[in-house]
């Protein structure tokens, strides 16, 4: 396996909480989340603010790490990536799907590892060459 790039990110979840609960919160989520992610996020009850915030925070961090892994060869948008978390039955590891709008996917598998600890999310992304 040849490595295309590696990226990491550390995020203070409070930062995302402030953005989501500010005047442009729904617009912020729409900008960051892919269509599939936005559907899942929208289905989380509004009263479960912590879960909704963590959902967006994880995806922000994963996508930030992914951008670091592929830049400057590629300049993806937030919505060009969709994060797939650990499957409910534990048989599938988390991964990131790259689906550039109108362009050919030039990446191999995109691996993601996410760790949550209190108010922080730490993410590592490894991108394989095609």
């Amino acid at each position: 396996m040849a490595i295309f790039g590696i990226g990491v990110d550390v995020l203070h979840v409070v930062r995302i909480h402030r953005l989501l609960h500010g005047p442009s919160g729904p617009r912020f989520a729409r900008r960051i989340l892919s269509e599939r992610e936005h559907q899942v996020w929208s289905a989380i009850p509004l009263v479960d603010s912590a879960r909704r915030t963590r959902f967006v925070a994880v995806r922000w961090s994963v996508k930030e790490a992914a951008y670091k892994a592929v830049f400057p060869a590629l300049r993806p948008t937030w919505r060009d990536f969709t994060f797939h978390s650990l499957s409910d039955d534990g048989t599938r590891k988390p991964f990131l799907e790259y689906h550039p709008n109108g362009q050919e996917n030039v990446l191999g598998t995109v691996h993601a590892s996410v760790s949550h600890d209190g108010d922080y999310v730490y993410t590592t992304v490894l991108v394989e060459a095609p």
Side-chain angles (χ1 to χ4, degrees):
M1 160 185 72
I3 296 175
F4 186 90
I6 299 171
V8 298
D9 189 65
V10 175
L11 174 69
H12 193 210
V13 177
V14 173
R15 178 176 167 212
I16 300 301
H17 178 80
R18 286 187 192 127
L19 289 167
L20 285 174
H21 292 85
S24 61
R27 196 170 70 236
F28 169 73
R30 179 58 90 179
R31 243 186 38 240
I32 299 305
L33 302 174
S34 69
E35 190 62 39
R36 180 182 182 286
E37 291 169 332
H38 195 271
Q39 289 171 355
V40 173
W41 179 75
S42 296
I44 300 170
L46 291 173
V47 296
D48 199 348
S49 177
R51 189 169 150 220
R52 289 173 60 88
T53 299
R54 182 152 317 266
F55 184 91
V56 174
V58 165
R59 277 134 190 92
W60 170 287
S61 184
V62 167
K63 293 175 184 194
E64 183 73 16
Y67 190 87
K68 293 171 184 175
V70 301
F71 183 83
L74 299 173
R75 294 173 189 252
T77 68
W78 294 105
R79 295 175 52 122
D80 287 344
F81 289 107
T82 298
F83 178 65
H84 300 272
S85 57
L86 184 69
S87 61
D88 291 337
D89 63 3
T91 60
R92 183 194 72 220
K93 288 183 152 197
F95 71 98
L96 203 55
E97 176 185 1
Y98 178 58
H99 44 83
N101 189 15
Q103 300 173 5
E104 180 183 351
N105 181 359
V106 295
L107 300 177
T109 303
V110 182
H111 305 273
S113 177
V114 179
S115 181
H116 312 221
D117 188 11
D119 288 341
Y120 291 90
V121 174
Y122 176 80
T123 306
T124 304
V125 170
L126 183 140
V127 180
E128 292 182 25

